[in-house]
Amino acid sequence: MKMTNAEYNEYIKDMAPRSPLAADLAKAFLVGGLICCLGEGLSMLYGDWAGLGEKDAATAVSMTLVFLSALLTGLGVYDRLARFAGAGTLVPITGFANAVVSPALEFKTEGFILGTAVKMFTIAGPVITFGLSASVVYGLILCLLT
């Protein structure tokens, strides 16, 4: 069967399942909001009850959310939550932790060095690289302008 690109695109459009956009948006908003509410609750816990300063409490919240995300990824819970909530789990810091842990778990059978250590940053590595590169460029621009 020979198809043109336009015919193929039309075929794919007809065969692809329809996504319930409103429901997907609502789920992402709800779960992402709950993750952020958890972060705020932890911030109050660390700040008010544990007596940490604002910066220290923010650091403790980030560490806790990354740890919880990594733990839930290892237990297989985070993947089910991500299937339900979509982008609601990707945007917060928890999505970054999941992006580091998932490939590490997937390739652990190849060994600690060639599997886990090498594959750990396949998804998150470009984010780190371009984030650091952008911060250097922005810093240089700021240094030149001031």
Side-chain angles (χ1 to χ4, degrees), residues 43-56:
S43 180
M44 289 190 294
L45 175 76
Y46 291 135
D48 297 340
W49 295 337
L52 294 178
E54 189 175 328
K55 283 186 175 183
D56 291 334

Side-chain angles (χ1 to χ4, degrees), residues 39 56 61-62 72 103 143:
D56 291 334
V61 168
S62 295
L72 293 176
C143 185

Side-chain angles (χ1 to χ4, degrees), residues 61-140:
V61 168
S62 295
M63 289 171 33
T64 303
L65 289 176
V66 166
F67 170 76
L68 288 174
S69 175
L71 178 66
L72 293 176
T73 299
L75 296 174
V77 174
Y78 200 89
D79 293 337
R80 288 188 300 237
L81 181 64
R83 264 189 245 106
F84 170 77
T89 59
L90 296 177
V91 176
I93 193 170
T94 55
F96 181 77
N98 176 263
V100 172
V101 174
S102 290
L105 288 174
E106 185 177 339
F107 291 97
K108 71 181 178 185
T109 58
E110 295 180 23
F112 182 71
I113 300 296
L114 296 177
T116 302
V118 171
K119 299 294 185 178
M120 189 180 327
F121 294 107
T122 46
I123 296 173
V127 174
I128 295 169
T129 302
F130 288 110
L132 286 173
S133 300
S135 67
V136 168
V137 170
Y138 299 150
L140 290 173

